[in-house]
Amino acid sequence: MTKTRWIWTGLLVMLLLPGLALGQAKVGTTGVNFLKIGVSARGVALADALLPVADDASTLYYNPAGLINLKNREAIFTHVVLPAGINFDYIGYVMPLPALGGSFGVSATTLYTDAMDETTPERVYGTGRTFTATDFSAGATYAQRLTDKFSVGGTVKYLQENLADEVARGWAADVGTFYDTGWRSVRIAMVISNFGPDMEFISSPFPLPLIFKFGMSAELYQTDRHRITMTAEGTHPNDNVEELHFGWEYAWNETAFLRLGKKMNGLTRDSWDDYQSDKQSYDPFVEYPLFNEDGMLSFDGVSLGGGLHLRNIGLMVDYSYAQLGYLGGVHRFSLGYKFNR
């Protein structure tokens, strides 16, 4: 099959995903769902469609095979304040290994709450004690270049979930590929994330949030000072319907960046009343429709952001804003640092 046919086949698969997703939502059937939270402001601004871009340290999370694209050592740190007093932190470090034709990286993720008051049926106003909830993951990643255009990579992660005095432990793995087609800057990537055995919490087993992703990216416009990149990604989770993620990034002199993203898992979102009258024809559960109930373009799933790369000191600062539906919007900041050779 020629390169062009591979590319068109991939686009067709991505476009068909939402249509094949009807009736497959299994929300609430998996645990440790903090593994699905985007770890970089740049990635979130691009609707998490960073899988086929894979050119900074956040590729530790988005696509382990992309580590091969980093030429120098690089680090990333992200802190996010989520609703309800929940905090999210991510840190990663990548080190190229040119003698082996590969790259190595480590990362850690934690989601934790502020102290909460303990209550019981007998003492509904509190027992005087407090507790916290914490999710934690630590991973090691290795990527290997197989040809000058194709690489593979994998991550092994330790997982731990704490709620008060109870704890669940487990492990998971990510496997990814990255292929630079050499045709008009088109890049193709695939990843399987969070593959591993069920975990158990208080004698109750639960599966991990397994996700298959396929993505493509390319430069729509590029000169010495200006670049516009478009990226698209299709996701197939085991606990929800399929989604399409689209992102656009404008770069000026590879120093200043503007970004826009949109998630989509259906063309329209019907009203609850329509669903109650005809449950075979209507679906009110589309989270990220292209059009809302009034037939207008929907802003659900839209994200935006920007960034600065201070190349003289190696510092990268990224920002994003994304809506979480009824929970409101969330601001994210990420710091990256590229070490000198």
Side-chain angles (χ1 to χ4, degrees):
M1 185 179 289
T2 65
K3 292 179 180 178
T4 304
R5 288 182 179 177
W6 274 111
I7 292 167
W8 283 110
T9 299
L11 285 173
L12 180 62
V13 170
M14 292 172 61
L15 292 173
L16 288 176
L17 280 176
L20 298 174
L22 298 178
Q24 297 178 11
K26 299 178 182 178
V27 178
T29 60
T30 62
V32 291
N33 282 282
F34 77 103
L35 296 174
K36 297 192 290 185
I37 299 176
V39 303
S40 78
R42 181 192 184 196
V44 171
L46 295 174
D48 284 325
L50 209 59
L51 163 70
V53 178
D55 60 2
D56 63 27
S58 66
T59 193
L60 283 163
Y61 170 82
Y62 290 102
N63 183 3
L67 261 65
I68 207 69
N69 297 321
L70 278 65
K71 306 305 180 184
N72 299 329
R73 290 179 296 136
E74 191 170 323
I76 183 174
F77 172 74
T78 299
H79 174 71
V80 186
V81 178
L82 296 168
I86 299 173
N87 297 276
F88 177 86
D89 291 329
Y90 178 84
I91 188 170
Y93 174 77
V94 179
M95 180 175 64
L97 302 173
L100 299 177
S103 292
F104 175 76
V106 292
S107 60
T109 309
T110 182
L111 180 79
Y112 54 98
T113 67
D114 295 333
M116 296 177 283
D117 294 328
E118 180 188 69
T119 62
T120 66
E122 295 79 19
R123 304 181 67 175
V124 295
Y125 297 106
T127 64
R129 295 189 295 268
T130 61
F131 69 97
T132 61
T134 304
D135 290 324
F136 174 77
S137 170
T141 303
Y142 182 76
Q144 181 67 47
R145 186 183 299 279
L146 300 184
T147 71
D148 61 335
K149 297 184 180 298
F150 183 72
S151 63
V152 297
T155 299
V156 177
K157 299 178 286 191
Y158 168 78
L159 308 176
Q160 182 170 312
E161 187 171 66
N162 295 77
L163 178 59
D165 298 327
E166 302 295 337
V167 61
R169 297 183 178 90
W171 66 272
D174 304 340
V175 178
T177 64
F178 182 89
Y179 177 48
D180 185 343
T181 67
W183 182 78
R184 298 190 178 184
S185 73
V186 172
R187 300 170 292 271
I188 299 175
M190 290 183 287
V191 163
I192 297 177
S193 299
N194 310 320
F195 174 81
D198 289 356
M199 294 175 61
E200 186 172 292
F201 193 84
I202 315 179
S203 301
S204 297
F206 59 87
L208 305 183
L210 181 68
I211 307 175
F212 171 75
K213 302 178 183 179
F214 174 87
M216 303 176 65
S217 67
E219 273 66 69
L220 300 181
Y221 177 79
Q222 188 167 21
T223 65
D224 291 340
R225 287 188 173 270
H226 305 279
R227 171 178 59 83
I228 299 177
T229 298
M230 179 179 177
T231 178
E233 174 185 298
T235 71
H236 177 88
N238 65 341
D239 62 350
N240 210 326
V241 298
E242 285 84 352
E243 295 179 2
L244 289 177
H245 301 169
F246 298 96
W248 296 266
E249 179 179 68
Y250 166 74
W252 176 79
N253 204 32
E254 297 302 326
T255 299
F257 305 85
L258 293 175
R259 303 176 181 118
L260 176 68
K262 174 71 169 92
K263 294 182 178 180
M264 186 177 72
N265 63 349
L267 294 178
T268 61
R269 178 168 56 208
D270 304 307
S271 70
W272 182 256
D273 292 337
D274 290 336
Y275 175 72
Q276 290 298 325
S277 63
D278 187 354
K279 295 186 179 182
Q280 298 297 322
S281 303
Y282 297 98
D283 181 11
F285 304 107
V286 175
E287 187 176 4
Y288 306 120
L290 182 60
F291 302 101
N292 59 25
E293 298 93 325
D294 300 321
M296 306 296 291
L297 287 175
S298 172
F299 288 96
D300 292 335
V302 171
S303 54
L304 53 88
L308 285 174
H309 181 190
L310 308 177
R311 287 181 288 179
N312 57 328
I313 59 175
L315 183 65
M316 295 169 289
V317 182
D318 293 308
Y319 163 79
S320 71
Y321 174 82
Q323 278 284 336
L324 293 181
Y326 293 110
L327 297 179
V330 173
H331 303 272
R332 283 176 170 84
F333 288 93
S334 294
L335 294 177
Y337 185 76
K338 290 189 176 183
F339 295 83
N340 295 326
R341 290 181 183 273

